[in-house]
Amino acid sequence: VKYTKVWASQRARYNEELVLNQLSTGLKSQVLSHLFKDTMEGVPFFRGCDDTFLSAVLCAMQPILYAPTEIIIQKGQCELAMYILCQGRAGLLNAETGGIDVEFNKGAYFGEIALFFKVPRTATIVATSFCDAFKLNNEPFEAVMNQYPKMKKKVNQLAESMFTERMVCVNCGEKGHTGAVCTELGKHL
């Protein structure tokens, strides 16, 4: 029964996608903004951004559906994308116990560290129910950012300040930077 409901809602969504793809870019961005602006503003580095920038980011996103127990992000993977959860639940998988350490609900986002800092995934995220999400890949995101230099600067500064506080280098164990930019890189080999 659950599968049938999800299939029916996704079928309707694909029809929506078909309709959206037939709209002009301007009209498509207006529709997406109306539907998902609140969700986007729930993501701290998009909060308070220019409406035209948010619309362009929304147009660059790819809708995606996950089934329960499906892995959304795999720790160590080098995919440069982030996800915003529109419906459903996902969780941070504990590799040792196989349990869920943190649960994410509608409006949650994850994968942003890989998107902004181009580093391998730091955690595994799994769907704990049917999940309807937006995926934001690096290439379309960078293209949008390059069209809006002021927003790019604002978003990157906010992302950097948010993440340098919680990043821990895999090379030296220090907080505030990643292994890719570590000055200790190669000294421990």
Side-chain angles (χ1 to χ4, degrees), residues 28-183:
K28 179 180 178 179
S29 68
Q30 286 179 10
V31 170
L32 288 171
S33 290
H34 177 74
L35 294 173
F36 298 107
K37 183 179 179 185
D38 291 344
T39 302
M40 290 295 288
E41 288 184 344
V43 179
F45 36 83
F46 293 138
R47 192 173 296 132
C49 284
D50 180 84
D51 284 347
T52 54
F53 172 74
L54 284 180
S55 294
V57 172
L58 277 165
C59 287
M61 291 183 163
Q62 168 191 357
I64 191 163
L65 176 71
Y66 290 96
T69 72
E70 193 172 356
I71 292 177
I72 301 171
I73 291 176
Q74 180 70 51
K75 184 176 181 175
Q77 184 183 38
C78 292
E79 176 193 41
L80 303 179
M82 73 171 280
Y83 297 81
I84 300 174
L85 202 55
C86 297
Q87 294 290 330
R89 293 182 316 278
L92 176 71
L93 188 65
N94 182 315
E96 293 176 18
T97 67
I100 300 297
D101 283 345
V102 178
E103 187 156 274
F104 302 106
N105 295 302
K106 179 181 179 179
Y109 62 95
F110 39 85
E112 70 281 1
I113 293 172
L115 178 69
F116 281 99
F117 299 102
K118 291 141 184 78
V119 295
R121 297 294 189 187
T122 59
T124 297
I125 307 291
V126 63
T128 57
S129 72
F130 284 102
C131 291
D132 190 2
F134 275 127
K135 180 179 180 180
L136 182 57
N137 287 304
N138 184 61
E139 276 187 42
F141 182 54
E142 285 296 322
V144 169
M145 296 273 274
N146 289 333
Q147 292 174 3
Y148 298 89
K150 288 181 183 177
M151 290 291 103
K152 179 178 181 175
K153 183 177 180 180
K154 177 185 175 176
V155 168
N156 282 336
Q157 284 176 341
L158 184 54
E160 190 170 325
S161 69
M162 284 174 62
F163 301 126
T164 52
E165 294 174 8
R166 67 180 201 208
M167 281 189 183
V168 178
C169 177
V170 295
N171 296 315
C172 69
E174 299 272 326
K175 279 189 159 192
H177 67 275
T178 66
V181 296
C182 182
T183 57

